[in-house]
Amino acid sequence: CTFVVRTDGMVQEGTAFYDGGNARVDTLIKGAATEDIASYMIMDKKSNTMYMWGSAQGDQGIKMTLPSEESPTGATAPAVTPDMDVDYNCKPWRADGSVFVPPTNIEFMDMSEMQKMMEGMGGMMPSM
């Protein structure tokens, strides 16, 4: 699918790929800063891991292993609301698994591991 979203002086345009529960979204945000910002997201269904990186982060990215159960209804805000100006066009594609492989030149920081470490340190923090 290709899409264009127009909100508050910004334009987001991009391409989304879907296959067998895997997803990839490549987005270019125009008007948010002095230069355009590219962002990328891959959701790997097999490992239930989301990878995110972009031009603003250089060669750094983050990855998170998500809970296997679905989040409760209403837990997150919808990415697209009825009052948004959205143009989209979806068509079938010949799936290419390489689209869902995170780039090797990006160093992904594991946010799931960081969260576990922070939770483990909870009892070690001095009280104020």
Side-chain angles (χ1 to χ4, degrees), residues 4 6 13 20 28 31 45 47 56-57 72 79 100 109 112 119 122:
V4 177
R6 294 172 186 83
E13 47 187 56
L28 184 63
K45 181 180 179 184
S47 66
Q57 293 81 27
F100 306 110
M109 194 170 26
S112 304
E119 289 171 0

Side-chain angles (χ1 to χ4, degrees), residues 101-115:
V101 176
T104 57
N105 64 328
I106 301 293
E107 182 180 340
F108 290 96
M109 194 170 26
D110 192 334
M111 297 303 286
S112 304
E113 289 300 315
M114 287 181 62
Q115 184 176 8

Side-chain angles (χ1 to χ4, degrees), residues 8-73:
D8 300 327
M10 288 193 314
V11 176
Q12 298 178 50
E13 47 187 56
T15 305
F17 302 91
Y18 304 99
D19 182 47
N22 292 323
R24 177 175 178 142
V25 180
D26 298 348
T27 306
L28 184 63
I29 303 168
K30 299 177 179 183
T34 55
E35 60 185 64
D36 297 344
I37 299 171
S39 68
Y40 308 93
M41 184 279 302
I42 291 176
M43 181 63 207
D44 180 336
K45 181 180 179 184
K46 185 176 180 181
S47 66
N48 214 34
T49 302
M50 181 179 357
Y51 298 86
M52 295 176 284
W53 71 100
S55 60
Q57 293 81 27
D59 61 356
Q60 299 288 311
I62 61 171
K63 70 177 182 177
M64 294 176 57
T65 302
L66 304 173
S68 56
E69 67 276 355
E70 292 184 29
S71 62
T73 305

